[in-house]
Amino acid sequence: MANVAVIGSQWGDEGKGKIVDWLSSRSDVVVRFQGGHNAGHTLVIDGVTYKLSLLPSGIVRGGKISIIGNGVVIDPWALAKEIQYITDLGIMVSPESLKIAENATLILPLHQRLDSLREGLSGDDKIGTTKRGIGPAYEDKVGRRAIRVTDLANEKTLVNKVNKLVNHHNIVLRGMGEKELNPSDVLKELIAITDKILPYMARVSIILSEARKAGKRILFEGAQGVMLDVDHGTYPFVTSSNTISPTALSGVGQNLKALNFVLGITKAYTTRVGEGPFPTEQENETGEELGKKGHEFGTNTGRKRRCGWIDTVMVRHAIEVGGIDGIALTKLDVLDGFETIKICVGYKLNGKVIDYFPIASEDQFNVIPIYEDIKGWSDSTYGARSWNELPAEAIKYVKRLEELIGCSVSLLSTSPERDDTILVKDPFED
Ligand code: GDP
Ligand code: IMO
Ligand code: MG
């Protein structure tokens, strides 16, 4: 029996949703363990597109259990809206198929407001967040004043906690010269949404332990990517959670033995949304072409994604700190038609060649990529479902990447469609 975690190995949007959906046919339980509705995971099944933010990507397959773990920050209004959205698309969501951890932290409208206010006040120093309130909600969690899912079940506790939380935030709002909050308004809003959330509340950690004992397979679905990890990414231009694989366990209440294989999702080039360093960014025709062919617009915010060549120094860093055992290489088809493809194989920093991803933010901004040129291919790889359909140059590109990152390709994706996927080595059987 093997359990698999899927994490992003770049700055998010690598195609995790598509791969989780594909892998979910081989698993029984799909569980989200960090992040919140800052994520945007796209699934395309028989021409129908599903855009998920909070719901695990396994929700679209019948007969699977979808779980939102304690490590996720949940905006109850966003969740209720997403449940409605997916129900309208003909997917059944019930307390049997969806379970939400009692100890997950809630995102409230005040977090969203604070996120937007801060971004607005930061000028050139802004992070370019999704303005979903993710950072402020995680701050309240570690500040030990957050409201959790279980608090919705006890009005007396909720009143106390809302009062404390609002007191804290009013000090901040006052300092910013902003209108203060009325605790009874915050309470009223929360009470009004309670019925939409509580039916799904469950003892997630226990459910997962029982699933393991029964020999069921668990698929852990990460959000964002290692380069957005609050410790190991391009800090401070990161999200507010750990996105590396151990979070799959702490974020659902499981121990180290519950995870057997970590699949890193890697785009065949690189994209980033928001501010921050991006060594291989192409602010030129190449970047435009990658963005156009790859439809690189945020799933959630619609923002144009910054585009550039693949950076194997960075992916190697992600593989090391992320604990990645194999990768799923996505969007290979987007490189079709490029005469030459560049791979970043090292950096120059202050005149010296380095082969690692530096930690200091100024160094991350200052590194100059060293490229290796690879001959492109003119034939199409779009929709390929076997190695035989790939041009020789495309195979060479994949092989060279494997060599440089020191990790094998387990899956290869050649279009947004679920089944346009080449299985090289099954992560569940590894
Ligand atoms: P996630 O956040 O990692 O789940 O990725 P997103 O869904 O935000 O962005 C990935 C985008 O690429 C989505 O629009 C997917 O439908 C699309 N996609 C995924 N895999 C492939 C692929 O192999 N080829 C192409 N052309 N598009 C893909
Ligand atoms: P998925 O799961 C890409 C980025 C934001 C911003 C930074 C901080 O779809 O890959 P936040 O709102 O989290 O405080 O924003 O992180 N970001 C993402 N970029 N994909 C995501 O998720 C992202 N989630 C957050 O653009 O730069
Ligand atoms: Mg996304």
Side-chain angles (χ1 to χ4, degrees):
M1 189 225 1
N3 299 324
V4 174
V6 164
I7 63 170
S9 74
Q10 290 150 321
W11 281 294
D13 303 328
E14 300 91 347
K16 296 176 293 293
K18 164 174 170 165
I19 300 297
V20 170
D21 168 55
W22 192 87
L23 285 171
S24 68
S25 75
R26 292 166 147 75
S27 72
D28 304 290
V29 181
V30 183
V31 52
R32 273 278 309 267
F33 53 87
Q34 47 70 234
H37 66 313
N38 50 348
H41 297 176
T42 318
L43 287 54
V44 184
I45 304 160
D46 296 331
V48 182
T49 301
Y50 303 82
K51 293 183 177 195
L52 300 173
S53 286
L54 261 172
L55 290 172
S57 297
I59 197 93
V60 298
R61 288 197 198 255
K64 310 284 168 191
I65 296 179
S66 293
I67 294 184
I68 300 179
N70 56 275
V72 176
V73 278
I74 303 172
D75 177 324
W77 296 272
L79 180 62
K81 213 166 138 191
E82 196 168 321
I83 291 173
Q84 189 58 54
Y85 157 80
I86 204 85
T87 306
D88 290 345
L89 283 171
I91 310 282
M92 253 271 285
V93 180
S94 70
E96 280 67 49
S97 64
L98 176 66
K99 319 262 179 205
I100 302 173
E102 301 163 298
N103 48 349
T105 295
L106 295 183
I107 299 183
L108 310 188
L110 61 90
H111 295 122
Q112 233 140 340
R113 186 174 158 211
L114 188 58
D115 199 349
S116 295
L117 278 172
R118 279 190 191 148
E119 284 284 278
L121 288 173
S122 299
D124 285 347
D125 288 334
K126 73 173 194 291
I127 289 165
T129 73
T130 58
K131 297 187 182 162
R132 299 290 198 263
I134 305 292
Y138 274 120
E139 284 170 35
D140 279 346
K141 174 181 174 169
V142 296
R144 294 161 293 190
R145 56 181 169 263
I147 294 171
R148 311 204 294 177
V149 173
T150 183
D151 300 328
L152 296 175
N154 185 325
E155 201 166 320
K156 201 169 149 220
T157 309
L158 196 60
V159 171
N160 279 335
K161 291 190 102 176
V162 165
N163 280 335
K164 274 189 202 149
L165 188 70
V166 169
N167 276 342
H168 171 87
H169 280 279
N170 276 345
I171 295 168
V172 178
L173 288 170
R174 219 173 297 145
M176 291 172 121
E178 288 292 323
K179 190 169 176 282
E180 292 180 38
L181 294 160
N182 183 341
S184 64
D185 293 341
V186 175
L187 187 67
K188 247 187 260 159
E189 276 182 304
L190 272 172
I191 290 173
I193 196 74
T194 294
D195 286 351
K196 294 245 193 286
I197 305 301
L198 279 184
Y200 303 102
M201 182 171 83
R203 301 179 71 193
V204 157
S205 160
I206 311 275
I207 291 171
L208 286 167
S209 296
E210 280 168 1
R212 285 176 57 207
K213 273 186 218 140
K216 305 242 191 264
R217 281 171 164 185
I218 301 166
L219 179 57
F220 299 89
E221 176 177 6
Q224 291 83 53
V226 174
M227 300 316 292
L228 287 169
D229 182 285
V230 68
D231 288 299
H232 304 286
T234 46
Y235 188 89
F237 303 97
V238 291
T239 192
S240 295
S241 64
N242 283 114
T243 56
I244 55 172
S245 59
T247 315
L249 303 168
S250 60
V252 304
Q254 284 295 300
N255 64 54
L256 295 175
K257 294 178 210 86
L259 182 54
N260 310 91
F261 191 92
V262 180
L263 184 69
I265 315 302
T266 305
K267 210 179 263 192
Y269 51 100
T270 314
T271 62
R272 164 159 219 176
V273 209
E275 308 304 315
F278 182 171
T280 61
E281 182 171 17
Q282 299 295 303
E283 290 178 284
N284 52 30
E285 269 177 27
T286 301
E288 287 296 320
E289 196 175 342
L290 286 169
K292 209 166 138 210
K293 282 177 149 176
H295 304 289
E296 295 296 355
F297 291 91
T299 309
N300 240 332
T301 56
R303 287 181 293 173
K304 194 172 171 186
R305 294 173 182 154
R306 298 156 64 191
C307 297
W309 297 116
I310 194 151
D311 183 340
T312 60
V313 182
M314 189 179 98
V315 172
R316 215 168 48 228
H317 167 79
I319 286 169
E320 278 160 19
V321 301
I324 291 169
D325 299 304
I327 68 159
L329 190 68
T330 60
K331 304 192 93 163
L332 184 68
D333 54 287
V334 175
L335 297 179
D336 290 355
F338 277 95
E339 211 168 294
T340 306
I341 298 166
K342 288 184 182 291
I343 302 179
C344 169
V345 295
Y347 300 133
K348 238 183 182 177
L349 179 64
N350 305 323
K352 270 200 198 142
V353 174
I354 59 166
D355 63 357
Y356 60 89
F357 198 81
I359 287 301
S361 191
E362 59 277 18
D363 291 346
Q364 294 171 354
F365 274 111
N366 287 336
V367 290
I368 299 165
I370 300 169
Y371 289 110
E372 184 176 294
D373 284 359
I374 293 266
K375 192 169 173 286
W377 53 91
S378 51
D379 293 342
S380 170
T381 64
Y382 190 85
R385 294 185 180 187
S386 72
W387 275 103
N388 306 341
E389 294 170 57
L390 300 178
E393 288 84 3
I395 294 177
K396 259 191 212 156
Y397 180 69
V398 176
K399 292 281 162 208
R400 184 65 185 134
L401 290 184
E402 283 183 323
E403 235 169 60
L404 287 163
I405 63 176
C407 192
S408 302
V409 169
S410 302
L411 288 166
L412 198 75
S413 167
T414 57
S415 104
E417 263 291 338
R418 174 190 271 175
D419 292 323
D420 291 340
T421 306
I422 302 172
L423 173 65
V424 182
K425 197 161 193 296
D426 188 341
F428 280 108
E429 302 294 341
D430 202 81

